[in-house]
Amino acid sequence: MNASPTEPNAPQFDLRQKVFLVLAALQVTAIIVANMIGVKLFSIDLAGIPVEHTAGMLPFPITFLLTDLLNEFYGKKAARMVAWIAFGMAIFAFLLVLVARALPILEGIPGTADERSFENVFGGSMWMTLCSIVAFLLGSLLDIGIFGFFKRITHGKMVWLRATGSTVVSQLFDSFVITILYFQVVQGLLGGEVASIDFVLRTALTGYLLKFAIAVVLTPAIYGGRYFLRKAVKLEPLPA
């Protein structure tokens, strides 16, 4: 039987707490989806510049945008807590995939994966998961620190500077960490073929440039998020 608002033990959440839960849930979803799609590489041509990276990088600018909103309205402790929660849930997802891979497979059923297809996707994504969540955690903590630094020195003004500046620096770190870890360190430890350093550096750099472009494009989104939270939710940013 569902608890009603009149029951004494029913949990009561104010709007501020509900918004926090939604932002945290979006953060967790983005990092887990990034890990799931990270085994797909893509190559696109932007104004004559080839951009090669994993599809898993696409949700990461969103995670940094969410981190900035959490930092702005709930403080760096809350933003760090959500980063650690997302990290923990990604580890939990990693363990579930590990168990699923260990189960004996039943092949030949229409609409289901065979062993090779399942392993190609989830076997590769497991190691991508480990690399990406390490890069995500370190990048998020760096983003939170830089965001707070810019907020203090600008006395809470110039939102674009702390939002874009913190994201630009943290994603540079994130891009190189995940690319080097996955294509160099992990593949070497597994005894597989290690990607050339040229490919690794090119992938990390071009991926960062793409993230940089996405971060710039998303800068108005933090203004939109601030406006929504201030006007619709009646939240005020925390002081610098």
Side-chain angles (χ1 to χ4, degrees):
M1 182 176 179
N2 295 331
S4 67
T6 59
E7 294 180 15
N9 294 327
Q12 301 294 317
F13 299 104
D14 61 27
L15 192 55
R16 181 182 181 84
Q17 293 169 325
K18 292 177 180 178
V19 170
F20 179 81
L21 288 174
V22 170
L23 292 176
L26 288 172
Q27 184 82 299
V28 171
T29 301
I31 184 62
I32 291 179
V33 169
N35 297 331
M36 292 173 59
I37 64 177
V39 291
K40 178 178 180 178
L41 286 174
F42 69 87
S43 177
I44 58 178
D45 188 276
L46 293 179
I49 301 175
V51 176
E52 299 171 343
H53 214 278
T54 74
M57 58 78 60
L58 297 176
F60 274 94
I62 300 173
T63 68
F64 288 110
L65 170 64
L66 293 169
T67 296
D68 290 347
L69 287 175
L70 286 164
N71 206 348
E72 182 84 348
F73 288 90
Y74 295 90
K76 62 182 180 181
K77 288 185 178 180
R80 286 196 188 110
M81 182 181 73
V82 172
W84 279 105
I85 289 173
F87 176 80
M89 293 303 99
I91 291 291
F92 179 58
F94 174 85
L95 294 175
L96 290 176
V97 171
L98 188 65
V99 172
R101 289 180 65 203
L103 292 174
I105 192 165
L106 174 62
E107 297 186 354
I109 308 301
T112 64
D114 58 25
E115 182 73 18
R116 182 178 178 181
S117 299
F118 189 86
E119 281 299 307
N120 280 343
V121 175
F122 290 102
S125 70
M126 285 186 60
W127 300 112
M128 179 63 75
T129 294
L130 286 180
C131 297
S132 66
I133 61 178
V134 169
F136 161 77
L137 181 63
L138 296 177
S140 292
L141 296 178
L142 181 63
D143 180 89
I144 292 166
I146 297 173
F147 186 94
F149 170 76
F150 280 127
K151 188 172 183 178
R152 287 192 301 273
I153 65 174
T154 59
H155 304 290
K157 299 178 181 179
M158 300 175 70
V159 177
W160 65 269
L161 177 61
R162 61 179 179 270
T164 305
S166 62
T167 300
V168 163
V169 175
S170 58
Q171 288 192 0
L172 176 63
F173 180 82
D174 171 90
S175 294
F176 278 86
V177 168
I178 188 172
T179 308
I180 293 172
L181 276 179
Y182 184 71
F183 290 107
Q184 287 273 316
V185 178
V186 168
Q187 301 306 319
L189 292 175
L190 294 176
E193 183 179 354
V194 176
S196 67
I197 190 64
D198 177 68
F199 170 81
V200 170
L201 294 179
R202 186 175 68 251
T203 300
L205 182 59
T206 56
Y208 169 70
L209 293 176
L210 184 56
K211 289 181 181 179
F212 176 84
I214 294 174
V216 172
V217 171
L218 286 179
T219 298
I222 195 168
Y223 282 92
R226 280 170 52 90
Y227 180 84
F228 174 79
L229 292 178
R230 295 184 70 177
K231 298 299 182 180
V233 186
K234 308 302 182 184
L235 294 183
E236 287 297 324
L238 297 180

